[in-house]
Amino acid sequence: MPGLTIGDTIPNLELDSTQGRIRIHDFVGDGYAIIFSHPADFTPVCTTEMAAMAGYAEEFKKRGVKLLGISCDDVASHKEWIKDIEAFKPGSKLTYPIMADPDRNAIRELNMVDPDEKDARGVSLPSRTLHIVGPDKTVKLSFLYPACTGRNMDEVLRAVDSLLTAARHKGKVATPANWKPGDRAVIGPSVSDEEARKLFPDGFETADLPSKKGYLRFAKV
Ligand code: BEZ
């Protein structure tokens, strides 16, 4: 994924959206934000993703995470599309803004172009990219999916919970494979056992592995 990547500052673009003009850094503010792209309005997978994201909006809000969609059609098209999205999931309300990028400049700067997907004019469409941006406006995590594969919002939420857990512990812990909130985290390799004893007075467990290197340590967080 060349271009914008983990640790880079998200470009401070100003774009029209379904909720007015948005400047990305102001939108992110001092919390976290998820900026996610879709190939095009009125397409099947995108409609299910938008509806799914609307259903998770409350969970993200509880965690102080804002949502910001982007699709390459214009605002008028997005507003019409929202009616379909909400009808697809009766009772749902799409509360987050969708930015418009009809000339595809923003998706290039945000590293969201899918070179394999083109519109009728042969112009590249956005991939299903998703950047989780932190309060410092840098990219903390990205997903890069092709048009054929809709994203799993449980996984987006799990990734947010992992990032927030690591940030709360100032990068001293990480979350292992298939971690879920409530599971134990692992203690990062830069933390000595001495420091770990101070950080986790209730103790931690070191996996007994053939190497005896003692690097896989689990703690309740
Ligand atoms: C979709 O959202 O279903 C879609 C969009 C672009 C290409 C293929 C599928």
Side-chain angles (χ1 to χ4, degrees), residues 13-24 27 68-69 75 78-79 82 95-100:
L13 306 175
E14 188 175 330
L15 293 171
D16 287 327
S17 85
T18 49
Q19 296 181 12
R21 199 93 180 134
I22 284 184
R23 185 169 270 284
I24 291 181
F27 183 85
L68 181 56
V75 167
H78 290 349
K79 285 185 172 169
I82 286 173
T95 51
Y96 55 85
I98 309 174
M99 296 189 294

PDB file of all heavy atoms in Angstrom, residues 13-24 27 68-69 75 78-79 82 95-100:
ATOM      1  N   LEU A  13      -7.669  17.819   3.973  1.00  0.00           N
ATOM      2  CA  LEU A  13      -8.461  18.212   2.808  1.00  0.00           C
ATOM      3  C   LEU A  13      -9.765  18.861   3.242  1.00  0.00           C
ATOM      4  O   LEU A  13     -10.297  18.544   4.310  1.00  0.00           O
ATOM      5  CB  LEU A  13      -8.776  16.975   1.965  1.00  0.00           C
ATOM      6  CG  LEU A  13      -7.579  16.123   1.545  1.00  0.00           C
ATOM      7  CD1 LEU A  13      -8.046  14.867   0.832  1.00  0.00           C
ATOM      8  CD2 LEU A  13      -6.646  16.942   0.660  1.00  0.00           C
ATOM      9  N   GLU A  14     -10.269  19.727   2.377  1.00  0.00           N
ATOM     10  CA  GLU A  14     -11.576  20.331   2.640  1.00  0.00           C
ATOM     11  C   GLU A  14     -12.497  19.913   1.501  1.00  0.00           C
ATOM     12  O   GLU A  14     -12.197  20.149   0.330  1.00  0.00           O
ATOM     13  CB  GLU A  14     -11.445  21.858   2.691  1.00  0.00           C
ATOM     14  CG  GLU A  14     -12.724  22.505   3.151  1.00  0.00           C
ATOM     15  CD  GLU A  14     -12.594  24.012   3.329  1.00  0.00           C
ATOM     16  OE1 GLU A  14     -11.498  24.495   3.650  1.00  0.00           O
ATOM     17  OE2 GLU A  14     -13.610  24.684   3.124  1.00  0.00           O
ATOM     18  N   LEU A  15     -13.600  19.258   1.856  1.00  0.00           N
ATOM     19  CA  LEU A  15     -14.487  18.679   0.839  1.00  0.00           C
ATOM     20  C   LEU A  15     -15.943  18.917   1.190  1.00  0.00           C
ATOM     21  O   LEU A  15     -16.303  19.063   2.371  1.00  0.00           O
ATOM     22  CB  LEU A  15     -14.276  17.156   0.772  1.00  0.00           C
ATOM     23  CG  LEU A  15     -12.938  16.638   0.255  1.00  0.00           C
ATOM     24  CD1 LEU A  15     -12.847  15.140   0.487  1.00  0.00           C
ATOM     25  CD2 LEU A  15     -12.795  16.935  -1.224  1.00  0.00           C
ATOM     26  N   ASP A  16     -16.792  18.912   0.156  1.00  0.00           N
ATOM     27  CA  ASP A  16     -18.242  18.950   0.390  1.00  0.00           C
ATOM     28  C   ASP A  16     -18.676  17.587   0.905  1.00  0.00           C
ATOM     29  O   ASP A  16     -18.096  16.554   0.537  1.00  0.00           O
ATOM     30  CB  ASP A  16     -18.978  19.237  -0.915  1.00  0.00           C
ATOM     31  CG  ASP A  16     -18.815  20.690  -1.334  1.00  0.00           C
ATOM     32  OD1 ASP A  16     -18.734  21.560  -0.443  1.00  0.00           O
ATOM     33  OD2 ASP A  16     -18.742  20.944  -2.554  1.00  0.00           O
ATOM     34  N   SER A  17     -19.705  17.619   1.745  1.00  0.00           N
ATOM     35  CA  SER A  17     -20.247  16.356   2.261  1.00  0.00           C
ATOM     36  C   SER A  17     -21.749  16.482   2.401  1.00  0.00           C
ATOM     37  O   SER A  17     -22.311  17.571   2.220  1.00  0.00           O
ATOM     38  CB  SER A  17     -19.630  16.021   3.630  1.00  0.00           C
ATOM     39  OG  SER A  17     -20.356  16.669   4.658  1.00  0.00           O
ATOM     40  N   THR A  18     -22.375  15.387   2.762  1.00  0.00           N
ATOM     41  CA  THR A  18     -23.830  15.393   2.977  1.00  0.00           C
ATOM     42  C   THR A  18     -24.213  16.237   4.186  1.00  0.00           C
ATOM     43  O   THR A  18     -25.379  16.501   4.410  1.00  0.00           O
ATOM     44  CB  THR A  18     -24.334  13.957   3.187  1.00  0.00           C
ATOM     45  OG1 THR A  18     -23.491  13.340   4.176  1.00  0.00           O
ATOM     46  CG2 THR A  18     -24.265  13.155   1.904  1.00  0.00           C
ATOM     47  N   GLN A  19     -23.209  16.633   4.992  1.00  0.00           N
ATOM     48  CA  GLN A  19     -23.492  17.495   6.154  1.00  0.00           C
ATOM     49  C   GLN A  19     -22.706  18.795   6.047  1.00  0.00           C
ATOM     50  O   GLN A  19     -22.272  19.355   7.052  1.00  0.00           O
ATOM     51  CB  GLN A  19     -23.184  16.737   7.450  1.00  0.00           C
ATOM     52  CG  GLN A  19     -24.101  15.523   7.616  1.00  0.00           C
ATOM     53  CD  GLN A  19     -23.870  14.740   8.897  1.00  0.00           C
ATOM     54  OE1 GLN A  19     -23.176  15.181   9.802  1.00  0.00           O
ATOM     55  NE2 GLN A  19     -24.442  13.555   8.966  1.00  0.00           N
ATOM     56  N   GLY A  20     -22.492  19.261   4.824  1.00  0.00           N
ATOM     57  CA  GLY A  20     -21.800  20.543   4.617  1.00  0.00           C
ATOM     58  C   GLY A  20     -20.318  20.356   4.367  1.00  0.00           C
ATOM     59  O   GLY A  20     -19.827  19.233   4.220  1.00  0.00           O
ATOM     60  N   ARG A  21     -19.625  21.497   4.337  1.00  0.00           N
ATOM     61  CA  ARG A  21     -18.194  21.481   4.029  1.00  0.00           C
ATOM     62  C   ARG A  21     -17.431  20.887   5.219  1.00  0.00           C
ATOM     63  O   ARG A  21     -17.712  21.234   6.378  1.00  0.00           O
ATOM     64  CB  ARG A  21     -17.802  22.955   3.801  1.00  0.00           C
ATOM     65  CG  ARG A  21     -16.552  23.158   3.064  1.00  0.00           C
ATOM     66  CD  ARG A  21     -16.769  23.313   1.568  1.00  0.00           C
ATOM     67  NE  ARG A  21     -15.463  23.502   0.945  1.00  0.00           N
ATOM     68  CZ  ARG A  21     -15.061  22.877  -0.134  1.00  0.00           C
ATOM     69  NH1 ARG A  21     -15.841  22.023  -0.772  1.00  0.00           N
ATOM     70  NH2 ARG A  21     -13.871  23.111  -0.617  1.00  0.00           N
ATOM     71  N   ILE A  22     -16.482  20.020   4.930  1.00  0.00           N
ATOM     72  CA  ILE A  22     -15.718  19.377   6.018  1.00  0.00           C
ATOM     73  C   ILE A  22     -14.231  19.570   5.764  1.00  0.00           C
ATOM     74  O   ILE A  22     -13.737  19.325   4.662  1.00  0.00           O
ATOM     75  CB  ILE A  22     -16.055  17.879   6.111  1.00  0.00           C
ATOM     76  CG1 ILE A  22     -17.426  17.733   6.779  1.00  0.00           C
ATOM     77  CG2 ILE A  22     -14.991  17.100   6.901  1.00  0.00           C
ATOM     78  CD1 ILE A  22     -17.864  16.320   7.040  1.00  0.00           C
ATOM     79  N   ARG A  23     -13.526  20.039   6.801  1.00  0.00           N
ATOM     80  CA  ARG A  23     -12.059  20.045   6.764  1.00  0.00           C
ATOM     81  C   ARG A  23     -11.624  18.900   7.674  1.00  0.00           C
ATOM     82  O   ARG A  23     -12.012  18.837   8.850  1.00  0.00           O
ATOM     83  CB  ARG A  23     -11.526  21.399   7.245  1.00  0.00           C
ATOM     84  CG  ARG A  23     -10.016  21.510   7.114  1.00  0.00           C
ATOM     85  CD  ARG A  23      -9.522  22.921   7.340  1.00  0.00           C
ATOM     86  NE  ARG A  23      -9.473  23.705   6.117  1.00  0.00           N
ATOM     87  CZ  ARG A  23      -8.539  23.589   5.160  1.00  0.00           C
ATOM     88  NH1 ARG A  23      -7.571  22.701   5.280  1.00  0.00           N
ATOM     89  NH2 ARG A  23      -8.558  24.335   4.101  1.00  0.00           N
ATOM     90  N   ILE A  24     -10.851  17.976   7.126  1.00  0.00           N
ATOM     91  CA  ILE A  24     -10.650  16.696   7.818  1.00  0.00           C
ATOM     92  C   ILE A  24     -10.056  16.871   9.218  1.00  0.00           C
ATOM     93  O   ILE A  24     -10.554  16.272  10.178  1.00  0.00           O
ATOM     94  CB  ILE A  24      -9.817  15.722   6.946  1.00  0.00           C
ATOM     95  CG1 ILE A  24     -10.652  15.295   5.734  1.00  0.00           C
ATOM     96  CG2 ILE A  24      -9.381  14.505   7.751  1.00  0.00           C
ATOM     97  CD1 ILE A  24      -9.970  14.306   4.797  1.00  0.00           C
ATOM     98  N   PHE A  27     -12.596  18.016  11.605  1.00  0.00           N
ATOM     99  CA  PHE A  27     -13.563  16.948  11.857  1.00  0.00           C
ATOM    100  C   PHE A  27     -13.017  15.950  12.879  1.00  0.00           C
ATOM    101  O   PHE A  27     -13.717  15.549  13.808  1.00  0.00           O
ATOM    102  CB  PHE A  27     -13.905  16.221  10.548  1.00  0.00           C
ATOM    103  CG  PHE A  27     -14.948  15.154  10.724  1.00  0.00           C
ATOM    104  CD1 PHE A  27     -16.295  15.469  10.689  1.00  0.00           C
ATOM    105  CD2 PHE A  27     -14.580  13.833  10.953  1.00  0.00           C
ATOM    106  CE1 PHE A  27     -17.262  14.485  10.876  1.00  0.00           C
ATOM    107  CE2 PHE A  27     -15.534  12.846  11.147  1.00  0.00           C
ATOM    108  CZ  PHE A  27     -16.880  13.177  11.104  1.00  0.00           C
ATOM    109  N   LEU A  68     -16.616   9.048   9.072  1.00  0.00           N
ATOM    110  CA  LEU A  68     -16.612   9.933   7.905  1.00  0.00           C
ATOM    111  C   LEU A  68     -16.455   9.074   6.653  1.00  0.00           C
ATOM    112  O   LEU A  68     -15.388   8.495   6.422  1.00  0.00           O
ATOM    113  CB  LEU A  68     -15.445  10.931   8.043  1.00  0.00           C
ATOM    114  CG  LEU A  68     -15.259  11.976   6.954  1.00  0.00           C
ATOM    115  CD1 LEU A  68     -16.528  12.804   6.755  1.00  0.00           C
ATOM    116  CD2 LEU A  68     -14.089  12.899   7.303  1.00  0.00           C
ATOM    117  N   GLY A  69     -17.534   8.977   5.867  1.00  0.00           N
ATOM    118  CA  GLY A  69     -17.478   8.205   4.634  1.00  0.00           C
ATOM    119  C   GLY A  69     -17.010   9.066   3.475  1.00  0.00           C
ATOM    120  O   GLY A  69     -17.062  10.296   3.521  1.00  0.00           O
ATOM    121  N   VAL A  75     -22.552  15.234  -3.913  1.00  0.00           N
ATOM    122  CA  VAL A  75     -23.393  15.272  -2.705  1.00  0.00           C
ATOM    123  C   VAL A  75     -24.853  14.959  -3.037  1.00  0.00           C
ATOM    124  O   VAL A  75     -25.527  14.239  -2.289  1.00  0.00           O
ATOM    125  CB  VAL A  75     -23.262  16.658  -2.010  1.00  0.00           C
ATOM    126  CG1 VAL A  75     -24.335  16.848  -0.957  1.00  0.00           C
ATOM    127  CG2 VAL A  75     -21.884  16.804  -1.374  1.00  0.00           C
ATOM    128  N   HIS A  78     -25.150  11.315  -3.248  1.00  0.00           N
ATOM    129  CA  HIS A  78     -25.040  10.695  -1.904  1.00  0.00           C
ATOM    130  C   HIS A  78     -26.375  10.815  -1.146  1.00  0.00           C
ATOM    131  O   HIS A  78     -26.814   9.875  -0.489  1.00  0.00           O
ATOM    132  CB  HIS A  78     -23.985  11.404  -1.053  1.00  0.00           C
ATOM    133  CG  HIS A  78     -22.565  11.199  -1.495  1.00  0.00           C
ATOM    134  ND1 HIS A  78     -22.178  10.281  -2.423  1.00  0.00           N
ATOM    135  CD2 HIS A  78     -21.423  11.820  -1.086  1.00  0.00           C
ATOM    136  CE1 HIS A  78     -20.867  10.332  -2.583  1.00  0.00           C
ATOM    137  NE2 HIS A  78     -20.387  11.264  -1.785  1.00  0.00           N
ATOM    138  N   LYS A  79     -26.990  12.025  -1.269  1.00  0.00           N
ATOM    139  CA  LYS A  79     -28.233  12.243  -0.500  1.00  0.00           C
ATOM    140  C   LYS A  79     -29.350  11.323  -0.995  1.00  0.00           C
ATOM    141  O   LYS A  79     -30.144  10.814  -0.203  1.00  0.00           O
ATOM    142  CB  LYS A  79     -28.638  13.714  -0.577  1.00  0.00           C
ATOM    143  CG  LYS A  79     -27.736  14.590   0.307  1.00  0.00           C
ATOM    144  CD  LYS A  79     -28.201  16.031   0.348  1.00  0.00           C
ATOM    145  CE  LYS A  79     -27.382  16.810   1.388  1.00  0.00           C
ATOM    146  NZ  LYS A  79     -27.590  18.265   1.319  1.00  0.00           N
ATOM    147  N   ILE A  82     -28.548   7.775   0.294  1.00  0.00           N
ATOM    148  CA  ILE A  82     -28.841   7.565   1.732  1.00  0.00           C
ATOM    149  C   ILE A  82     -30.277   7.050   1.916  1.00  0.00           C
ATOM    150  O   ILE A  82     -30.549   6.210   2.784  1.00  0.00           O
ATOM    151  CB  ILE A  82     -28.576   8.867   2.528  1.00  0.00           C
ATOM    152  CG1 ILE A  82     -27.057   9.085   2.654  1.00  0.00           C
ATOM    153  CG2 ILE A  82     -29.218   8.807   3.921  1.00  0.00           C
ATOM    154  CD1 ILE A  82     -26.655  10.428   3.265  1.00  0.00           C
ATOM    155  N   THR A  95     -26.212   8.693  10.299  1.00  0.00           N
ATOM    156  CA  THR A  95     -25.951   9.951  11.029  1.00  0.00           C
ATOM    157  C   THR A  95     -24.595  10.564  10.701  1.00  0.00           C
ATOM    158  O   THR A  95     -24.308  11.666  11.114  1.00  0.00           O
ATOM    159  CB  THR A  95     -26.017   9.689  12.554  1.00  0.00           C
ATOM    160  OG1 THR A  95     -25.174   8.575  12.839  1.00  0.00           O
ATOM    161  CG2 THR A  95     -27.436   9.404  13.008  1.00  0.00           C
ATOM    162  N   TYR A  96     -23.749   9.835  10.014  1.00  0.00           N
ATOM    163  CA  TYR A  96     -22.406  10.356   9.732  1.00  0.00           C
ATOM    164  C   TYR A  96     -22.358  10.963   8.322  1.00  0.00           C
ATOM    165  O   TYR A  96     -23.132  10.576   7.445  1.00  0.00           O
ATOM    166  CB  TYR A  96     -21.358   9.241   9.879  1.00  0.00           C
ATOM    167  CG  TYR A  96     -21.624   8.017   9.047  1.00  0.00           C
ATOM    168  CD1 TYR A  96     -21.209   7.943   7.726  1.00  0.00           C
ATOM    169  CD2 TYR A  96     -22.310   6.931   9.569  1.00  0.00           C
ATOM    170  CE1 TYR A  96     -21.455   6.830   6.956  1.00  0.00           C
ATOM    171  CE2 TYR A  96     -22.569   5.808   8.810  1.00  0.00           C
ATOM    172  CZ  TYR A  96     -22.137   5.769   7.501  1.00  0.00           C
ATOM    173  OH  TYR A  96     -22.400   4.665   6.734  1.00  0.00           O
ATOM    174  N   PRO A  97     -21.457  11.915   8.095  1.00  0.00           N
ATOM    175  CA  PRO A  97     -21.368  12.539   6.772  1.00  0.00           C
ATOM    176  C   PRO A  97     -20.671  11.647   5.749  1.00  0.00           C
ATOM    177  O   PRO A  97     -19.799  10.843   6.098  1.00  0.00           O
ATOM    178  CB  PRO A  97     -20.542  13.808   7.024  1.00  0.00           C
ATOM    179  CG  PRO A  97     -19.863  13.607   8.326  1.00  0.00           C
ATOM    180  CD  PRO A  97     -20.563  12.524   9.082  1.00  0.00           C
ATOM    181  N   ILE A  98     -21.061  11.823   4.506  1.00  0.00           N
ATOM    182  CA  ILE A  98     -20.352  11.181   3.385  1.00  0.00           C
ATOM    183  C   ILE A  98     -19.770  12.303   2.522  1.00  0.00           C
ATOM    184  O   ILE A  98     -20.511  13.164   2.022  1.00  0.00           O
ATOM    185  CB  ILE A  98     -21.275  10.310   2.516  1.00  0.00           C
ATOM    186  CG1 ILE A  98     -22.076   9.319   3.372  1.00  0.00           C
ATOM    187  CG2 ILE A  98     -20.454   9.561   1.456  1.00  0.00           C
ATOM    188  CD1 ILE A  98     -23.120   8.517   2.574  1.00  0.00           C
ATOM    189  N   MET A  99     -18.463  12.298   2.359  1.00  0.00           N
ATOM    190  CA  MET A  99     -17.811  13.325   1.548  1.00  0.00           C
ATOM    191  C   MET A  99     -17.922  12.952   0.072  1.00  0.00           C
ATOM    192  O   MET A  99     -18.000  11.770  -0.289  1.00  0.00           O
ATOM    193  CB  MET A  99     -16.336  13.469   1.925  1.00  0.00           C
ATOM    194  CG  MET A  99     -16.131  13.959   3.358  1.00  0.00           C
ATOM    195  SD  MET A  99     -14.414  14.381   3.703  1.00  0.00           S
ATOM    196  CE  MET A  99     -13.612  12.787   3.594  1.00  0.00           C
ATOM    197  N   ALA A 100     -17.897  13.985  -0.755  1.00  0.00           N
ATOM    198  CA  ALA A 100     -17.980  13.801  -2.210  1.00  0.00           C
ATOM    199  C   ALA A 100     -16.611  14.058  -2.827  1.00  0.00           C
ATOM    200  O   ALA A 100     -15.911  14.984  -2.426  1.00  0.00           O
ATOM    201  CB  ALA A 100     -18.995  14.779  -2.784  1.00  0.00           C
TER     202      ALA A 100
END
